[in-house]
Amino acid sequence: KIRGIAGELAAREMTLPGGLKIERRMLAGNTEPTADFELRAPDGSVAELEAKALRPEKWKKALDEYAEGIKNSNVDPKNPVARLLAQAKAGLDRGHKVYVAISDGTSMRSRGRLLAYLQDVEVPQEQLLLLPESEILRIAKVLREHMGIPQPTFPSKGGD
């Protein structure tokens, strides 16, 4: 939860392409999936931005599970990839361009796999944006400090 909030706050601070500006936070309804933000282009048109702050190392598992679900015709709707695609489709159905922001720490292979799924629902490569992982981590740390939540500990790379 904290990481997701940090990702959204990092997205608020990023420079968006094509003069897009964040107009407002979109509130999730009970009826259809929504993105995080409504954007406004210089020409007045509306777009949407979904920030997915999944840890870079978690994308592979989410993509693997989604691919397996497709193969077995049994996709878990709670899978992050399935949720993201549902949000993108809903935005497109509203007649909006949809932008997706993920961590720049996400591997090139996972980015490519995600992009293939996004392109299948007509979200082109230039609408996949990268959030600085360092900024997500910095904001999450500040949020935890302000809320009195202990900082996470990560296993050492050496396997100890």
Side-chain angles (χ1 to χ4, degrees):
K1 294 282 183 193
I2 296 276
R3 185 171 169 92
I5 294 166
E8 289 178 20
L9 291 171
R12 285 189 83 96
E13 295 174 8
M14 75 185 297
T15 302
L16 297 169
L20 288 165
K21 300 283 183 215
I22 292 178
E23 179 112 326
R24 67 182 178 96
R25 174 90 172 81
M26 294 178 72
L27 299 175
N30 293 333
T31 55
E32 65 181 21
T34 58
D36 293 318
F37 300 105
E38 182 177 283
L39 308 176
R40 183 77 55 188
D43 67 4
S45 63
V46 176
E48 297 181 24
L49 171 65
E50 174 60 28
K52 275 288 180 243
L54 205 60
R55 291 188 179 285
E57 64 274 12
K58 302 251 182 190
W59 274 110
K60 181 185 183 314
K61 182 177 185 245
L63 287 158
D64 288 348
E65 289 172 356
Y66 183 77
E68 188 67 25
I70 294 276
K71 193 166 73 171
N72 298 329
S73 301
N74 188 23
V75 174
D76 178 357
K78 293 181 181 168
N79 173 282
V81 178
R83 286 190 12 245
L84 172 60
L85 294 175
Q87 289 166 308
K89 285 179 198 168
L92 293 165
D93 288 347
R94 287 187 284 275
H96 300 157
K97 271 188 174 179
V98 175
Y99 291 81
V100 173
I102 62 170
S103 167
D104 65 1
T106 305
S107 74
M108 292 302 284
R109 179 156 170 71
S110 289
R111 286 184 207 179
R113 291 174 68 197
L114 178 60
L115 187 57
Y117 289 127
L118 287 169
Q119 288 174 328
D120 284 348
V121 297
E122 300 185 22
V123 175
Q125 180 174 346
E126 59 273 10
Q127 289 168 220
L128 178 61
L129 311 177
L130 299 176
L131 296 168
E133 176 67 15
S134 59
E135 193 61 7
I136 296 169
L137 293 173
R138 182 192 69 75
I139 293 169
K141 182 177 184 208
V142 169
L143 287 171
R144 284 188 193 91
E145 286 170 357
H146 284 283
M147 297 170 81
I149 298 171
Q151 298 296 332
T153 54
F154 298 102
S156 69
K157 295 271 189 222
D160 294 326

PDB file of all heavy atoms in Angstrom, residues 96-110:
ATOM      1  N   HIS A  96     -10.500   7.869 -23.991  1.00  0.00           N
ATOM      2  CA  HIS A  96      -9.295   8.582 -23.573  1.00  0.00           C
ATOM      3  C   HIS A  96      -8.034   7.832 -23.985  1.00  0.00           C
ATOM      4  O   HIS A  96      -8.031   6.602 -24.030  1.00  0.00           O
ATOM      5  CB  HIS A  96      -9.276   8.738 -22.048  1.00  0.00           C
ATOM      6  CG  HIS A  96     -10.446   9.490 -21.513  1.00  0.00           C
ATOM      7  ND1 HIS A  96     -10.877   9.353 -20.217  1.00  0.00           N
ATOM      8  CD2 HIS A  96     -11.289  10.391 -22.085  1.00  0.00           C
ATOM      9  CE1 HIS A  96     -11.922  10.131 -20.008  1.00  0.00           C
ATOM     10  NE2 HIS A  96     -12.195  10.766 -21.126  1.00  0.00           N
ATOM     11  N   LYS A  97      -6.958   8.582 -24.221  1.00  0.00           N
ATOM     12  CA  LYS A  97      -5.640   7.970 -24.312  1.00  0.00           C
ATOM     13  C   LYS A  97      -5.290   7.520 -22.905  1.00  0.00           C
ATOM     14  O   LYS A  97      -5.654   8.177 -21.925  1.00  0.00           O
ATOM     15  CB  LYS A  97      -4.585   9.003 -24.734  1.00  0.00           C
ATOM     16  CG  LYS A  97      -4.391   9.145 -26.198  1.00  0.00           C
ATOM     17  CD  LYS A  97      -3.188  10.062 -26.441  1.00  0.00           C
ATOM     18  CE  LYS A  97      -2.849  10.119 -27.904  1.00  0.00           C
ATOM     19  NZ  LYS A  97      -1.708  11.010 -28.149  1.00  0.00           N
ATOM     20  N   VAL A  98      -4.574   6.407 -22.800  1.00  0.00           N
ATOM     21  CA  VAL A  98      -4.177   5.902 -21.486  1.00  0.00           C
ATOM     22  C   VAL A  98      -2.654   5.815 -21.429  1.00  0.00           C
ATOM     23  O   VAL A  98      -2.027   5.252 -22.330  1.00  0.00           O
ATOM     24  CB  VAL A  98      -4.805   4.522 -21.206  1.00  0.00           C
ATOM     25  CG1 VAL A  98      -4.293   3.944 -19.895  1.00  0.00           C
ATOM     26  CG2 VAL A  98      -6.331   4.628 -21.178  1.00  0.00           C
ATOM     27  N   TYR A  99      -2.095   6.380 -20.366  1.00  0.00           N
ATOM     28  CA  TYR A  99      -0.663   6.304 -20.097  1.00  0.00           C
ATOM     29  C   TYR A  99      -0.467   5.406 -18.888  1.00  0.00           C
ATOM     30  O   TYR A  99      -1.297   5.391 -17.971  1.00  0.00           O
ATOM     31  CB  TYR A  99      -0.084   7.691 -19.814  1.00  0.00           C
ATOM     32  CG  TYR A  99      -0.072   8.578 -21.029  1.00  0.00           C
ATOM     33  CD1 TYR A  99      -1.222   9.248 -21.435  1.00  0.00           C
ATOM     34  CD2 TYR A  99       1.078   8.713 -21.795  1.00  0.00           C
ATOM     35  CE1 TYR A  99      -1.229  10.048 -22.569  1.00  0.00           C
ATOM     36  CE2 TYR A  99       1.088   9.514 -22.932  1.00  0.00           C
ATOM     37  CZ  TYR A  99      -0.071  10.176 -23.305  1.00  0.00           C
ATOM     38  OH  TYR A  99      -0.072  10.954 -24.435  1.00  0.00           O
ATOM     39  N   VAL A 100       0.629   4.664 -18.893  1.00  0.00           N
ATOM     40  CA  VAL A 100       0.956   3.763 -17.786  1.00  0.00           C
ATOM     41  C   VAL A 100       2.355   4.116 -17.321  1.00  0.00           C
ATOM     42  O   VAL A 100       3.270   4.268 -18.144  1.00  0.00           O
ATOM     43  CB  VAL A 100       0.903   2.284 -18.244  1.00  0.00           C
ATOM     44  CG1 VAL A 100       1.411   1.357 -17.152  1.00  0.00           C
ATOM     45  CG2 VAL A 100      -0.515   1.909 -18.661  1.00  0.00           C
ATOM     46  N   ALA A 101       2.534   4.259 -16.010  1.00  0.00           N
ATOM     47  CA  ALA A 101       3.850   4.552 -15.444  1.00  0.00           C
ATOM     48  C   ALA A 101       4.275   3.394 -14.545  1.00  0.00           C
ATOM     49  O   ALA A 101       3.503   2.962 -13.682  1.00  0.00           O
ATOM     50  CB  ALA A 101       3.815   5.857 -14.647  1.00  0.00           C
ATOM     51  N   ILE A 102       5.491   2.892 -14.788  1.00  0.00           N
ATOM     52  CA  ILE A 102       6.071   1.822 -13.968  1.00  0.00           C
ATOM     53  C   ILE A 102       7.475   2.249 -13.547  1.00  0.00           C
ATOM     54  O   ILE A 102       8.032   3.211 -14.085  1.00  0.00           O
ATOM     55  CB  ILE A 102       6.127   0.469 -14.722  1.00  0.00           C
ATOM     56  CG1 ILE A 102       7.030   0.572 -15.959  1.00  0.00           C
ATOM     57  CG2 ILE A 102       4.724  -0.002 -15.092  1.00  0.00           C
ATOM     58  CD1 ILE A 102       7.336  -0.763 -16.627  1.00  0.00           C
ATOM     59  N   SER A 103       8.050   1.519 -12.619  1.00  0.00           N
ATOM     60  CA  SER A 103       9.393   1.826 -12.137  1.00  0.00           C
ATOM     61  C   SER A 103      10.430   1.648 -13.240  1.00  0.00           C
ATOM     62  O   SER A 103      10.399   0.683 -13.996  1.00  0.00           O
ATOM     63  CB  SER A 103       9.749   0.899 -10.972  1.00  0.00           C
ATOM     64  OG  SER A 103      11.135   0.987 -10.695  1.00  0.00           O
ATOM     65  N   ASP A 104      11.388   2.573 -13.278  1.00  0.00           N
ATOM     66  CA  ASP A 104      12.487   2.441 -14.240  1.00  0.00           C
ATOM     67  C   ASP A 104      13.447   1.320 -13.839  1.00  0.00           C
ATOM     68  O   ASP A 104      14.334   0.958 -14.596  1.00  0.00           O
ATOM     69  CB  ASP A 104      13.233   3.766 -14.442  1.00  0.00           C
ATOM     70  CG  ASP A 104      13.967   4.268 -13.200  1.00  0.00           C
ATOM     71  OD1 ASP A 104      13.937   3.609 -12.139  1.00  0.00           O
ATOM     72  OD2 ASP A 104      14.576   5.356 -13.296  1.00  0.00           O
ATOM     73  N   GLY A 105      13.226   0.746 -12.667  1.00  0.00           N
ATOM     74  CA  GLY A 105      14.022  -0.402 -12.232  1.00  0.00           C
ATOM     75  C   GLY A 105      13.511  -1.725 -12.794  1.00  0.00           C
ATOM     76  O   GLY A 105      14.148  -2.765 -12.635  1.00  0.00           O
ATOM     77  N   THR A 106      12.358  -1.696 -13.453  1.00  0.00           N
ATOM     78  CA  THR A 106      11.784  -2.899 -14.056  1.00  0.00           C
ATOM     79  C   THR A 106      12.694  -3.376 -15.181  1.00  0.00           C
ATOM     80  O   THR A 106      13.138  -2.574 -16.004  1.00  0.00           O
ATOM     81  CB  THR A 106      10.369  -2.589 -14.601  1.00  0.00           C
ATOM     82  OG1 THR A 106       9.584  -2.036 -13.541  1.00  0.00           O
ATOM     83  CG2 THR A 106       9.693  -3.836 -15.144  1.00  0.00           C
ATOM     84  N   SER A 107      12.987  -4.671 -15.202  1.00  0.00           N
ATOM     85  CA  SER A 107      13.913  -5.207 -16.210  1.00  0.00           C
ATOM     86  C   SER A 107      13.406  -4.941 -17.618  1.00  0.00           C
ATOM     87  O   SER A 107      12.195  -4.839 -17.855  1.00  0.00           O
ATOM     88  CB  SER A 107      14.109  -6.711 -16.008  1.00  0.00           C
ATOM     89  OG  SER A 107      12.963  -7.417 -16.444  1.00  0.00           O
ATOM     90  N   MET A 108      14.341  -4.857 -18.559  1.00  0.00           N
ATOM     91  CA  MET A 108      13.972  -4.633 -19.960  1.00  0.00           C
ATOM     92  C   MET A 108      13.076  -5.767 -20.459  1.00  0.00           C
ATOM     93  O   MET A 108      12.140  -5.538 -21.216  1.00  0.00           O
ATOM     94  CB  MET A 108      15.226  -4.510 -20.835  1.00  0.00           C
ATOM     95  CG  MET A 108      16.033  -3.253 -20.544  1.00  0.00           C
ATOM     96  SD  MET A 108      15.093  -1.723 -20.743  1.00  0.00           S
ATOM     97  CE  MET A 108      15.052  -1.624 -22.520  1.00  0.00           C
ATOM     98  N   ARG A 109      13.364  -6.987 -20.026  1.00  0.00           N
ATOM     99  CA  ARG A 109      12.545  -8.133 -20.454  1.00  0.00           C
ATOM    100  C   ARG A 109      11.102  -7.985 -19.954  1.00  0.00           C
ATOM    101  O   ARG A 109      10.155  -8.168 -20.721  1.00  0.00           O
ATOM    102  CB  ARG A 109      13.174  -9.425 -19.936  1.00  0.00           C
ATOM    103  CG  ARG A 109      12.367 -10.655 -20.314  1.00  0.00           C
ATOM    104  CD  ARG A 109      13.221 -11.918 -20.332  1.00  0.00           C
ATOM    105  NE  ARG A 109      12.442 -13.120 -20.469  1.00  0.00           N
ATOM    106  CZ  ARG A 109      11.808 -13.489 -21.583  1.00  0.00           C
ATOM    107  NH1 ARG A 109      11.869 -12.734 -22.650  1.00  0.00           N
ATOM    108  NH2 ARG A 109      11.111 -14.602 -21.619  1.00  0.00           N
ATOM    109  N   SER A 110      10.941  -7.634 -18.680  1.00  0.00           N
ATOM    110  CA  SER A 110       9.588  -7.451 -18.136  1.00  0.00           C
ATOM    111  C   SER A 110       8.893  -6.262 -18.795  1.00  0.00           C
ATOM    112  O   SER A 110       7.688  -6.316 -19.082  1.00  0.00           O
ATOM    113  CB  SER A 110       9.632  -7.269 -16.617  1.00  0.00           C
ATOM    114  OG  SER A 110       9.966  -8.487 -15.990  1.00  0.00           O
TER     115      SER A 110
END
